[in-house]
C-alpha cells in the first residue's frame, strides 16, 4: 500500500472541491447554455442534487468497508481477475481525465494567454509540478490544495463583481426553455462534477467518522454546486443569448470585460489563477490512478509509478490537438462516466449485500 | 542522495534559461502603441483604417521635460479588405510593430456606421489582445479627418477624444460604451444601442459632441441632439454625475435671462408599465425626479405657490422633451429604452406572438414626469 | 561546575592508564605529554602545610588574579587543615582520579592540584571569562521592551534565560560536540510544556552530529534541520533573551552553544520569521498592521520585479492607459531585455549591501551613498537601465529588509530570481509555475514534525490571530496546536475583571 497518512475531514472537503473545480470552469456556462439555454443554472442545481443522492448512496459502501479504498473493495469482492480488470478501467479513466485536463489546459492557455508557446512546454511544466508534489504524501497534497483555495475566492469575488453589470431580463422568464432543455443540460453539467467519485478512493485516509466523511463530501458538493451555479448565472446575466453563443469561454470573457484603475485586463490574472486550479485537479487525478496502480501491482515504488503515469498523460495530451479533437476525446470519455459514478459502486454494494461480505476487522 | 530531489528543479531552470526570450515575448520597447483607431468606408467595399500613435521621441535621455512638450501623435491610414488585412499592411510601413491593445477610442465614420459596425469589430472581439475597453464613437464625417485634427487641448489625439468623452459622460450628455458593453446590446433582442456622436465644429476646428447616434441592430439609423440625449439618459435611468437641464419657463419676461431656469437632476426613479391587455401594446413611463435649482433669475421661490407653478412648468417642459425624444427613436425604429427586453421578460407570451420590430415604431409611449424641487441653492 | 564532566575524545595521547599515577612526577610527565609540552602549561610547586604539592593549569585559561586571591594565598598562608576544609566546601572544588577528566578540566580553565602521596587530585575551576556586557543585539533591535542580548558565554546566556523563567520545569541538557573542540551545547526546554517526542528528536539529532568542531550555530542548524537543501530556514535564530523566553513558554526548544551569542529555536514555522518582539509591545492595531505589512513585503519581494518583467515583456495590455506612455518612454532606449536589466540592478544592490556590511560603519555609509545615489542616478542617465526598473528593484530590496529575520530576508531575495526567470520566459504563466513550485515545497517542509506553513495549512483558524494579525495577549488562550505541547491551554485570562459587562 501507499504510505497511509491521514488527512482531516476539513482537508477532504478541499480535496473534493479542487478535483472537481478545474479546467472546465471557464467554459462550463457555455456548454450547458448550448443545451439548456437561459435556464442553464437550473440544470446545474439539478445535477448538484443528483450528485448529492449518489454521495448518499456511497455512504452505504463506506459504512461496510471503512478502511478499504474502492480498489481494495473490487479486489476483495469480485475476486482477483474481475477486480483487477475493473481497476484497470479505473486507472484508464483517471489517466484519460488527466490527459484531457492537460489538453484542455493547453488549448485554453494558447487561446487566451500564450498563443505561440509550444504545448510541450506548458504540459511539461504542469507534469513536473505534479511529479514534484505527488512524490510527497496525501497529507501534503491536501495542504497544497487547501492553500490553493485562495484562487477560488478570487473567482467568487469576480463573479459577484460581475453582478454590477447584470441584466436580469436575460434569464427571465425562468423556465422559458422548457423541461426537455433543462434535462438535456444535465448531461454536460454532470461532466463538470467529475471527481466527486474519488471520495471512494480517499475516504479511508480520512481521520474522521463515517458520518463526518459523508458530511464533508456533502459540504464539498454543496460548495461546488453553488460555485458552478454562480458562474453560470453570472455568465447568463452578463451576456445576451446571441453573444453567449459566440463566446465559448464566457467566464474569462466576462472578466476580460472588466477594467480597473490599476489593472486594465484582469482576465490575464484570472487565467493565471485558473492554471493553479487546473494543476490541482490534474494532480488529484494522477494520484487516483497512482493508487490504482499501486493496489493492482502491490508495488511500493511510488516515484516510478507517478513518473510513468504523468509521462503517459503528457504523451496523450500532446496528441489531442485542436477544438474538435478535444471534443471527440471528451465524448469518448463521457461513456465512462455513468459506470464509474454509479454502476460500479452500485454493483459492489449489491455483491457485498448478496455475499454478506464486510470488511474483516482485525486486518 | 538528497541532490536527486533538486534535479527536476534544475532541469526546469535550465530549460527556462535556454528558452528565455522566446515565443510570446512582446517587449513594450518594440511596440508602437496605437491609441486611437478610426474606421471608414473606402471605395470598392474596402475598409479604410486610420490609427494614431504617439511620436517616437528619440531624444536620448528620458528624464528631461523637453520630451513631454514635444509629444504628439502620428496618423496613418491604410486601405484593406478587412481590419486585419489593413493592419498587416500597416506593419509594413513602420519600423516597430503595432500594438492596438491599448487603444482608447474606436471611431466610426457615419458611412460605415450606417452599414453596420459589428463585422468591423469582430477582430476586436476575437483577438485575445483586442482593446475591449476602447470607447466606440460615431463621427459625423470621416473618421480619418477626426484623427487628423490638430488641437491645442491635448497633445495626443486619443487623449483629446478620451477626455472629451469622459467629460460629456459626466455631464450627462452622452453615455460611453466600450466595445465590450456594446456587444450584448447589438446581439441581444429587444434593446438597441446608442453611441456618442461627435463632429467637427468647422470654424473653430474643434471636436464637439453632437448627441448620440441611434442604432438598430448594428446599423446607425439616426441621432439625437444634446437635449434629447440628456432626456434619453434620464429615461433610461443612466443618471450622470452632473446631469443638468435648461428650460424656458417664463416666456413673457423681458429680461432674457429671467426667462430660463437651470437645474441639476439629483435623483431619478422610473416606473414602466407595459399594457398588453388590448391588441395594441402601449407603455407608460412614470418618472419621478428630484432636482436642484442652479440658476433662476426670476427668484421668489420662497412662496410655495410660485414654486409649484415653476414645478409644473418644468414638468410640462420635460414631458414635451421626452415625447419629442421618443418620437425620434420610434421613427428610427431604435428601441433604445429596452422596452422590448422588458416585454420579453415579463410578458413572454405576448413577445412570442408579435414582431417587435414592427410594433415598436407604432406603439404608444406616454411619459409622465413628476418633479420634486429639493434644493434651490443658497438663494430662495 | 560539574557539567563539564563529559570525557574528552582526545584520543591521540591516550595512554592505557585511566587513574592517576602514584607520584607527582609521573603525573606531571603524563600531563605534559598529553598537552604536547605546550608553553602555556604552568606547573607551580607549592607547599601545602607540610605536604608538597603541585598546581598545574593553563596560564591562558585561568584568571590569574582570582588564582592568587582565592586559591594560592589561603592555601599557603594559613594552616593547611583549616584551609583544606574551606576549599572542600567551595563549590568549585572537585575531586577526581581519572586522568581523562583531569585533562578536560585543564582544557576548560581549571587548575589541578596534586598532593604528594594522595590517590586523588583536586580540581578547582577558576576559568577566566571575559564576556562583553549583554548589550542589545545589532541584528534584532527593538524600540520597546528589554534591551538585553545574549553574549558569547553559555553560562551568562543561560543565566539570562533562568533570570526570566523562574521555574523548576525549565530544563537544560548539556551535550558536548566537536571531536576536536569539545564545545558544550545546551538544550533548554520547559519540561512540562514541550512535547517530549520533539525534545527526544532534537536530542538524538544533536547527538548524531559528527563534526570536528561546532564553529557556529550554522553548523548545528545544518546538521539537525529536516530539509538541508531547502532555501527556507527551518530554525529560528535569536540573540534576544525575551524571544527565547516567549518561545520556551510556547513549548519550543532552544539550543545554545558555547561561545556563540545566537540561540537556535526549533521547531520554527514560516510565520515565526515574520514576528518581532516589538509587535507585542505595540498597540493591537499597529502591531497587527506591521505584521500584515511584513507579509505583504514577503509577497512584494517575490513578485514585484517578476510582475514588472512579465508585464512589460508579455502582457503590456494590462498597464493602465494613463501609465503606459510613461513606462514606454522610460524603457524606450534601454538596450537590454527587462530580465537582464533587473539582474544588473539586483546584482548592484547586492554588491552594495555586501560591501557595506563588513566595512566599518563610516565607510559603509559612503559605499551606500556612492552606490545608491551615484550609480543609481548615472545608470539611468546613461540609459543602461530604465528608471522604473530602478524604482522596482530598490523597492524590492527595501521590502526584503523589512522582514525581521535576516535569514528569511535573504531567502526571499534569492527566490525572487527564479520567479523573475519564470516571468521572463513565460510571463504570468511562468510566475504561476514558479510559485507553484515554491508553495508545493513550502507545503512539504516540516520543522521537527511541525508543518512549516501551519497554521495556514494544516488550517487552524484560531491561530491565525497570532500570525496574520497580533491579537491581544489575553485573547490567545492556546498554544500552537501543531507543536503538540503537553499544556495546550495557556493561562491568559488577564482581563477577568472586565468579562461580565
Amino acid at each position: 500500500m501507499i504510505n497511509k497518512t491521514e488527512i482531516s475531514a476539513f482537508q477532504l472537503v478541499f480535496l473534493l472541491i479542487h478535483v472537481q473545480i478545474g479546467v472546465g470552469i471557464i467554459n462550463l456556462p457555455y456548454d450547458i447554455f448550448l443545451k439548456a439555454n437561459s435556464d442553464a443554472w437550473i440544470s446545474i442545481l439539478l445535477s448538484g442534487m443528483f450528485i448529492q443522492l449518489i454521495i448518499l448512496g456511497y455512504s452505504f459502501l463506506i459504512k461496510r468497508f471503512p478502511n478499504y479504498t474502492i480498489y481494495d473493495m473490487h479486489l476483495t469482492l469480485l475476486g482477483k481477475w474481475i477486480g483487477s480488470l475493473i481497476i484497470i478501467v479505473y486507472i484508464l479513466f483517471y489517466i484519460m481525465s488527466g490527459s484531457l485536463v492537460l489538453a484542455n489546459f493547453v488549448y485554453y492557455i494558447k487561446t487566451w494567454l500564450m498563443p505561440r508557446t509550444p504545448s510541450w512546454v506548458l504540459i511539461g511544466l504542469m507534469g513536473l509540478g505534479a511529479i514534484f508534489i505527488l512524490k510527497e504524501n496525501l497529507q501534503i497534497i491536501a495542504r497544497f490544495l487547501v492553500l490553493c483555495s485562495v484562487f477560488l475566492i478570487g473567482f467568487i469575488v469576480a463573479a459577484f463583481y460581475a453582478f454590477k453589470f447584470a441584466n436580469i431580463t436575460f434569464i427571465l422568464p425562468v423556465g422559458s426553455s422548457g423541461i426537455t432543455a433543462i434535462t438535456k443540460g444535465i448531461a454536460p453539467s454532470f461532466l463538470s462534477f467529475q471527481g466527486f467519485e474519488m471520495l471512494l478512493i480517499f475516504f479511508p485516509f480520512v481521520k474522521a467518522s463515517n458520518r463526518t466523511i459523508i458530511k464533508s463530501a456533502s459540504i464539498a458538493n454543496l460548495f461546488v454546486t453553488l460555485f458552478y451555479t454562480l458562474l453560470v448565472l453570472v455568465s447568463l446575466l452578463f451576456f445576451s443569448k446571441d453573444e453567449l453563443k459566440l463566446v465559448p469561454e464566457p467566464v474569462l470573457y466576462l472578466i476580460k470585460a472588466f477594467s480597473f484603475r490599476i489593472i486594465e485586463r484582469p482576465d490575464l490574472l484570472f487565467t493565471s489563477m485558473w492554471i493553479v486550479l487546473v494543476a490541482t485537479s490534474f494532480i488529484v487525478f494522477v494520484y487516483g490512478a497512482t493508487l490504482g496502480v499501486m493496489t493492482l501491482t502491490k508495488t511500493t515504488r511510488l516515484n516510478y509509478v507517478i513518473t510513468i503515469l504523468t509521462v503517459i498523460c503528457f504523451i496523450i495530451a500532446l496528441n489531442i490537438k485542436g477544438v474538435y479533437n478535444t471534443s471527440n476525446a471528451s465524448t469518448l470519455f463521457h461513456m465512462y462516466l455513468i459506470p464509474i459514478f454509479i454502476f460500479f459502486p452500485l454493483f459492489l454494494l449489491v455483491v457485498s449485500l448478496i455475499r454478506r461480505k464486510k470488511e474483516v476487522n482485525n486486518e | 542522495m538528497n541532490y536527486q530531489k533538486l534535479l527536476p528543479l534544475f532541469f526546469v531552470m535550465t530549460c527556462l534559461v535556454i528558452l528565455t526570450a522566446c515565443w510570446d515575448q512582446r517587449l513594450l520597447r518594440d511596440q508602437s502603441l496605437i491609441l486611437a483607431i478610426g474606421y471608414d468606408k473606402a471605395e470598392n467595399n474596402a475598409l479604410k483604417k486610420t490609427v494614431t500613435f504617439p511620436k517616437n521621441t528619440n531624444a536620448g535621455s528620458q528624464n528631461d521635460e523637453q520630451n513631454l512638450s514635444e509629444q504628439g501623435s502620428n496618423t496613418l491610414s491604410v486601405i484593406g479588405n478587412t481590419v486585419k488585412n489593413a493592419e498587416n499592411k500597416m506593419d509594413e510601413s513602420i519600423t516597430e510593430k503595432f500594438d492596438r491593445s491599448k487603444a482608447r477610442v474606436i471611431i466610426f465614420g457615419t458611412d460605415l456606421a450606417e452599414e453596420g459596425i459589428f463585422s468591423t469589430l469582430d477582430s476586436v472581439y476575437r483577438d485575445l489582445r483586442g482593446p475591449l475597453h476602447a470607447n466606440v464613437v460615431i463621427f459625423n464625417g470621416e473618421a480619418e479627418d477626426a484623427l487628423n485634427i490638430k488641437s491645442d487641448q491635448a497633445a495626443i489625439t486619443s487623449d483629446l477624444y478620451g477626455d472629451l468623452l469622459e467629460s460629456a459622460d459626466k455631464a450627462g450628455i452622452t453615455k460611453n460604451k466600450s466595445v465590450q458593453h456594446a456587444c450584448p446590446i447589438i446581439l441581444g433582442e429587444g434593446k438597441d444601442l446608442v453611441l456618442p456622436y461627435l463632429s467637427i465644429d468647422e470654424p473653430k476646428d474643434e471636436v464637439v459632441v453632437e448627441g448620440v447616434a441611434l442604432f438598430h441592430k448594428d446599423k446607425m439609423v439616426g441621432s439625437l441632439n444634446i437635449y434629447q440625449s440628456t432626456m434619453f439618459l434620464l429615461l433610461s435611468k443612466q443618471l450622470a454625475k452632473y446631469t443638468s437641464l435648461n428650460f424656458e419657463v417664463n416666456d413673457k419676461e423681458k429680461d432674457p435671462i429671467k426667462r430660463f431656469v437651470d437645474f441639476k437632476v439629483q435623483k431619478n426613479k422610473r416606473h414602466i408599465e407595459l399594457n398588453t391587455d388590448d391588441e395594441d401594446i402601449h407603455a407608460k413611463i412614470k418618472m419621478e425626479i428630484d432636482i436642484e435649482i442652479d440658476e433662476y433669475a426670476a427668484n421668489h421661490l420662497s412662496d410655495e405657490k410660485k414654486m409649484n407653478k415653476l414645478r409644473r412648468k418644468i414638468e410640462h417642459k420635460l414631458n414635451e422633451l421626452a415625447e419629442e425624444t421618443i418620437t425620434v427613436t420610434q421613427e428610427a425604429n431604435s428601441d433604445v429604452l429596452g422596452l422590448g427586453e422588458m416585454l420579453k421578460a415579463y410578458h413572454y407570451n405576448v413577445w412570442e406572438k408579435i414582431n417587435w420590430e414592427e410594433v415598436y415604431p407604432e406603439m404608444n409611449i406616454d411619459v409622465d414626469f413628476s418633479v420634486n424641487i429639493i434644493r434651490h441653492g443658497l438663494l430662495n | 561546575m560539574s557539567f563539564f564532566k563529559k570525557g574528552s575524545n582526545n584520543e591521540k595521547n591516550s595512554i592505557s592508564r585511566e587513574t592517576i599515577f602514584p607520584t607527582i612526577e609521573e603525573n606531571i610527565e603524563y600531563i605534559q605529554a598529553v598537552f604536547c609540552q605546550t608553553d602555556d602549561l604552568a606547573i607551580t610547586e607549592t607547599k601545602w602545610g607540610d605536604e608538597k604539592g603541585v598546581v598545574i593549569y593553563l596560564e591562558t585559561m585561568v584568571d590569574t588574579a582570582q588564582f592568587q586571591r582565592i586559591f594560592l594565598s589561603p592555601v599557603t598562608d594559613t594552616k593547611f587543615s583549616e584551609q583544606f576544609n574551606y576549599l572542600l566546601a567551595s563549590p568549585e572544588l572537585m575531586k577526581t582520579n581519572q586522568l581523562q577528566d583531569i585533562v578536560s578540566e585543564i582544557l576548560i580553565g581549571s587548575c589541578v592540584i596534586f598532593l604528594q602521596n594522595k590517590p586523588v587530585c583536586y580540581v578547582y575551576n577558576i576559568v577566566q571569562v571575559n564576556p562583553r556586557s549583554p548589550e542589545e543585539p545589532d541584528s534584532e533591535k527593538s524600540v520597546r521592551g528589554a534591551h538585553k542580548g545574549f553574549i558569547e558565554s553559555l553560562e551568562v546566556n543561560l543565566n539570562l534565560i533562568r533570570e526570566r523563567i523562574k521555574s523548576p520545569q525549565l530544563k537544560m541538557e548539556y551535550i558536548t560536540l566537536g571531536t576536536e573542540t569539545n564545545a558544550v551545547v545546551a538544550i533548554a526546554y520547559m519540561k512540562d510544556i514541550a512535547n517530549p517526542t520533539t525534545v527526544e528528536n532534537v536530542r538524538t539529532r544533536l547527538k548524531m552530529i559528527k563534526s570536528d568542531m561546532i564553529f557556529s550555530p550554522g553548523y548545528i542548524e545544518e546538521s539537525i534541520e529536516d530539509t538541508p537543501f531547502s532555501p527556507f530556514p527551518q530554525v529560528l535564530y535569536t540573540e534576544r533573551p525575551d524571544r527565547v523566553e516567549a518561545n520556551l513558554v510556547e513549548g519550543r526548544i532552544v539550543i545554545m552553544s558555547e561561545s556563540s551569542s545566537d540561540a537556535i529555536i526549533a521547531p520554527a514555522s514560516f510565520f515565526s520569521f515574520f514576528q518581532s518582539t516589538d509587535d507585542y509591545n505595540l498597540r493591537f492595531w499597529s502591531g497587527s498592521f506591521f505584521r500584515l505589512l511584513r507579509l505583504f513585503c514577503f509577497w512584494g519581494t517575490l513578485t514585484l520585479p517578476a510582475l514588472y518583467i512579465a508585464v512589460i515583456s508579455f502582457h503590456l495590455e494590462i498597464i493602465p492607459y494613463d501609465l503606459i506612455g510613461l513606462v514606454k518612454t522610460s524603457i524606450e532606449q534601454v538596450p537590454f531585455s527587462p530580465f537582464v536589466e533587473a539582474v544588473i540592478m539586483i546584482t548592484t544592490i547586492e554588491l552594495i549591501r555586501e560591501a557595506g556590511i563588513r566595512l566599518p560603519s563610516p565607510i559603509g555609509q559612503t559605499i551606500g551613498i556612492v552606490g545608491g545615489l551615484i550609480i543609481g542616478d548615472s545608470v539611468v542617465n546613461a540609459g543602461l537601465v530604465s528608471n522604473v526598473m530602478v524604482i522596482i528593484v530598490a523597492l524590492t530590496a527595501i521590502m526584503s529588509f523589512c522582514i525581521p529575520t535576516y535569514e528569511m530576508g535573504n531567502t526571499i531575495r534569492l527566490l525572487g530570481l527564479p520567479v523573475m526567470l519564470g516571468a521572463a520566459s513565460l510571463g504570468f504563466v511562468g510566475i504561476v509555475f514558479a510559485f507553484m513550485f515554491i508553495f508545493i515545497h513550502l507545503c512539504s517542509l516540516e520543522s521537527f514534525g511541525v508543518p512549516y506553513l501551519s497554521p495556514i495549512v494544516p488550517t487552524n483558524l484560531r491561530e491565525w490571530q497570532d500570525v496574520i494579525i497580533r491579537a491581544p495577549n489575553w485573547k490567545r488562550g492556546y498554544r500552537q496546536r501543531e507543536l503538540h505541547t503537553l499544556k495546550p491551554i495557556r493561562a491568559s485570562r488577564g482581563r477577568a475583571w472586565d468579562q461580565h459587562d
Side-chain angles (χ1 to χ4, degrees), chain C residues 334-456:
Chain C
V334 179
F336 306 114
S337 78
F339 179 66
V340 177
E341 215 184 321
V343 168
I344 291 175
M345 270 329 282
I346 285 173
T347 322
T348 316
I349 286 197
E350 289 297 311
L351 283 177
I352 295 170
R353 188 191 60 81
E354 192 63 27
I357 208 165
R358 283 177 234 300
L359 287 173
S361 53
I363 309 179
Q365 280 169 10
T366 323
I367 290 282
I369 293 165
V370 170
L373 296 180
I374 302 178
I375 296 187
D377 191 49
S378 0
V379 105
V380 171
N381 274 333
L384 288 175
V385 174
S386 68
N387 40 18
V388 182
M389 184 58 94
V390 173
I391 296 172
I392 298 268
V393 172
L395 207 58
T396 312
I398 290 172
M399 282 204 259
S400 82
F401 292 128
C402 276
I403 293 160
T405 37
Y406 180 65
E407 291 81 20
M408 191 50 107
N410 287 345
T411 300
I412 292 171
R413 264 208 314 284
L414 207 64
L415 274 183
L417 280 171
V419 181
M420 269 189 270
L421 199 63
S425 47
L426 288 171
F428 284 170
V429 180
I431 297 182
V432 168
F433 276 110
F435 266 101
M436 228 155 76
F437 280 106
I438 290 175
F439 274 90
I440 289 174
H441 174 69
L442 275 175
C443 283
S444 66
L445 264 189
E446 282 188 359
S447 168
F448 295 91
V450 176
Y452 201 55
L453 279 185
S454 69
I456 300 296

Side-chain angles (χ1 to χ4, degrees), chain C residues 138-438:
Chain C
D138 277 336
S139 52
E140 282 172 274
K141 287 224 155 97
S142 76
V143 183
R144 290 264 171 277
H147 294 287
K148 262 188 184 170
F150 287 134
I151 59 164
E152 287 76 10
S153 155
L154 186 61
E155 283 162 60
V156 176
N157 291 349
L158 296 182
N159 166 274
L160 286 173
I161 299 176
R162 280 257 186 231
E163 208 173 70
R164 291 185 151 264
I165 306 178
K166 296 182 185 68
S167 159
Q169 298 289 344
L170 172 60
K171 192 178 167 187
M172 317 262 186
E173 286 178 24
Y174 296 116
I175 296 172
T176 310
L177 291 176
T179 49
E180 300 294 333
T181 55
N182 296 319
V184 175
V185 171
I187 313 172
Y189 58 94
M190 299 297 286
K191 181 79 178 161
D192 60 341
I193 300 175
N195 181 359
T197 333
T198 321
V199 175
E200 183 52 44
N201 204 346
V202 171
R203 198 185 293 133
T204 333
R205 289 189 197 180
L206 275 177
K207 281 185 178 157
M208 294 280 206
I209 297 179
K210 287 272 173 287
S211 168
D212 51 355
M213 61 171 179
I214 300 297
F215 161 72
S216 70
Y219 270 57
I220 302 177
E221 182 197 353
E222 281 189 346
S223 322
I224 63 171
E225 64 192 353
D226 294 60
T227 320
F229 283 106
S230 165
F232 289 93
Q234 294 144 62
V235 295
L236 190 63
Y237 284 105
T238 186
E239 290 188 50
R240 300 183 61 93
D242 46 359
R243 206 165 187 186
V244 165
E245 176 196 6
N247 281 295
L248 279 175
V249 177
E250 179 72 25
R252 296 202 172 83
I253 298 155
V254 172
I255 303 163
M256 303 197 75
S257 74
E258 215 172 1
S259 313
S260 156
S261 58
D262 285 296
I264 295 175
I265 298 170
S269 73
F270 179 73
F271 293 97
S272 34
F273 293 91
F274 293 87
Q275 297 171 342
S276 115
T277 40
D278 246 1
D279 295 349
Y280 295 94
N281 301 318
L282 291 170
R283 307 287 309 157
F284 162 74
W285 294 105
S286 27
S288 303
F289 172 71
F290 294 136
R291 282 258 164 102
L292 287 173
L293 188 74
R294 288 189 208 121
L295 286 177
F296 170 77
C297 286
F298 165 74
W299 281 106
T301 317
L302 274 184
T303 52
L304 194 62
L307 277 181
Y308 177 68
I309 292 173
V311 163
I312 63 164
S313 45
F314 285 86
H315 312 291
L316 50 98
E317 56 269 31
I318 209 166
I319 313 173
Y321 174 85
D322 300 324
L323 262 180
I324 194 153
L326 210 73
V327 179
K328 177 139 168 82
T329 15
S330 150
I331 62 171
E332 197 67 63
Q333 303 301 327
V334 179
F336 306 114
S337 78
F339 179 66
V340 177
E341 215 184 321
V343 168
I344 291 175
M345 270 329 282
I346 285 173
T347 322
T348 316
I349 286 197
E350 289 297 311
L351 283 177
I352 295 170
R353 188 191 60 81
E354 192 63 27
I357 208 165
R358 283 177 234 300
L359 287 173
S361 53
I363 309 179
Q365 280 169 10
T366 323
I367 290 282
I369 293 165
V370 170
L373 296 180
I374 302 178
I375 296 187
D377 191 49
S378 0
V379 105
V380 171
N381 274 333
L384 288 175
V385 174
S386 68
N387 40 18
V388 182
M389 184 58 94
V390 173
I391 296 172
I392 298 268
V393 172
L395 207 58
T396 312
I398 290 172
M399 282 204 259
S400 82
F401 292 128
C402 276
I403 293 160
T405 37
Y406 180 65
E407 291 81 20
M408 191 50 107
N410 287 345
T411 300
I412 292 171
R413 264 208 314 284
L414 207 64
L415 274 183
L417 280 171
V419 181
M420 269 189 270
L421 199 63
S425 47
L426 288 171
F428 284 170
V429 180
I431 297 182
V432 168
F433 276 110
F435 266 101
M436 228 155 76
F437 280 106
I438 290 175

Side-chain angles (χ1 to χ4, degrees), chain B residues 104-122:
Chain B
R104 198 173 175 195
V105 275
I106 295 180
I107 303 175
F108 282 91
T110 19
D111 289 346
L112 185 62
E114 275 163 8
E115 286 195 351
I117 58 171
F118 193 67
S119 31
T120 314
L121 289 177
D122 178 81

Side-chain angles (χ1 to χ4, degrees), chain A residues 60-65 73 76-78 344-359:
Chain A
F60 295 108
L61 264 184
I62 293 176
K63 231 174 265 169
R64 293 185 83 83
F65 302 96
M73 292 181 209
T76 343
L77 283 177
L78 303 178
F344 286 148
L346 193 69
F347 185 58
L348 277 178
L349 190 63
V350 171
V351 171
S352 87
L353 283 174
I354 292 172
R355 293 178 60 185
R356 292 172 186 284
K357 211 165 180 178
K358 274 195 178 179
E359 187 184 324

Side-chain angles (χ1 to χ4, degrees), chain B residues 2-3 5-6 9 12-14 16-17 19-33 35 56-63 67 71 96 99 101-104 128-129 156 158-159, chain C residues 227-230 311-322 324-339 341 377 380-381 383 385-387 418 421-422 424-426 437:
Chain B
N2 271 322
Y3 286 101
K5 281 189 183 174
L6 300 170
L9 273 184
V12 177
M13 296 266 204
T14 349
L16 287 180
V17 173
L19 299 170
T20 298
C22 277
W23 310 316
D24 280 298
Q25 184 159 290
R26 307 177 295 148
L27 292 177
L28 176 59
R29 201 175 60 205
D30 305 335
Q31 308 282 326
S32 239
L33 298 169
L35 296 178
N56 203 354
T57 42
N58 286 316
S61 66
Q62 311 141 356
N63 51 351
N67 277 352
Q71 260 182 8
E96 291 184 328
D99 185 281
S101 63
K102 296 311 297 177
R104 198 173 175 195
L128 75 152
R129 296 183 182 118
I156 302 173
S158 62
D159 277 353
Chain C
T227 320
F229 283 106
S230 165
V311 163
I312 63 164
S313 45
F314 285 86
H315 312 291
L316 50 98
E317 56 269 31
I318 209 166
I319 313 173
Y321 174 85
D322 300 324
I324 194 153
L326 210 73
V327 179
K328 177 139 168 82
T329 15
S330 150
I331 62 171
E332 197 67 63
Q333 303 301 327
V334 179
F336 306 114
S337 78
F339 179 66
E341 215 184 321
D377 191 49
V380 171
N381 274 333
V385 174
S386 68
N387 40 18
L421 199 63
S425 47
L426 288 171
F437 280 106

Side-chain angles (χ1 to χ4, degrees), chain C residues 250 462-463 465 475-481 487-490 492:
Chain C
E250 179 72 25
R462 203 169 54 200
E463 281 162 21
Q465 57 174 338
K475 274 273 184 196
R476 292 181 291 123
Y478 299 88
R479 298 207 159 79
Q480 211 186 325
R481 189 183 61 186
K487 279 190 199 163
I489 300 176
R490 320 165 58 227
S492 67

